[in-house]
Amino acid sequence: MTEHRLTVRVYYEDTDLAGVVFYANYLRYYERGRSDALRELGVDQSALKAAGVVFVVRRIEVDYLAPARFEDLLEVATRVETLKGASATMLQEVRRDGRVLNRARVSVACMTLDGRPVRLPPEARAAMERLAG
């Protein structure tokens, strides 16, 4: 698997007064995509947290290309661009019928609960390598 895909329906609560997806809601879609990808690859983030390790978003760049609207059925695609010792950069897209509406590059870091960087756990690294391509 070099790309994970999650289907998301646009609800009324996701839209602004113009009837398009409110810009900040794309960040929620991307978070769901990353979390779902790791879950499907066998990474238990609750177990990692219990062991004192969490993922945090360090940086995100988003390009808004075309609007999504109420009732649209969207696909959130997630893949890994780069893996480092304690971080990863993920590329994500929101698509409708194959057309890219929104694109993001997300840098995530692996941290201890008190905010210090820590190397990616081996099982998380192995899972993320399956999304690299």
Side-chain angles (χ1 to χ4, degrees), residues 17 46 86-87 92 94 115:
L17 288 174
S46 294
S87 65
Q92 295 187 273
V94 170

Side-chain angles (χ1 to χ4, degrees), residues 50-88:
V53 176
V54 293
F55 292 104
V56 297
V57 172
R58 183 180 171 277
R59 177 182 172 86
I60 187 165
E61 301 170 43
V62 182
D63 290 317
Y64 299 88
L65 306 171
R69 300 183 185 282
F70 176 62
E71 291 287 345
D72 280 352
L73 193 60
L74 307 175
E75 176 182 82
V76 180
T78 302
R79 63 186 184 277
V80 172
E81 180 181 46
T82 59
L83 276 173
K84 295 184 180 176
S87 65

Side-chain angles (χ1 to χ4, degrees), residues 13-16 20-32 60 62 64 102:
E13 68 184 14
D14 295 327
T15 62
D16 61 17
V20 301
V21 171
F22 183 65
Y23 74 95
N25 286 329
Y26 287 96
L27 301 181
R28 293 174 44 216
Y29 299 158
Y30 288 137
E31 178 66 34
R32 292 176 195 169
I60 187 165
V62 182
Y64 299 88
N102 193 289

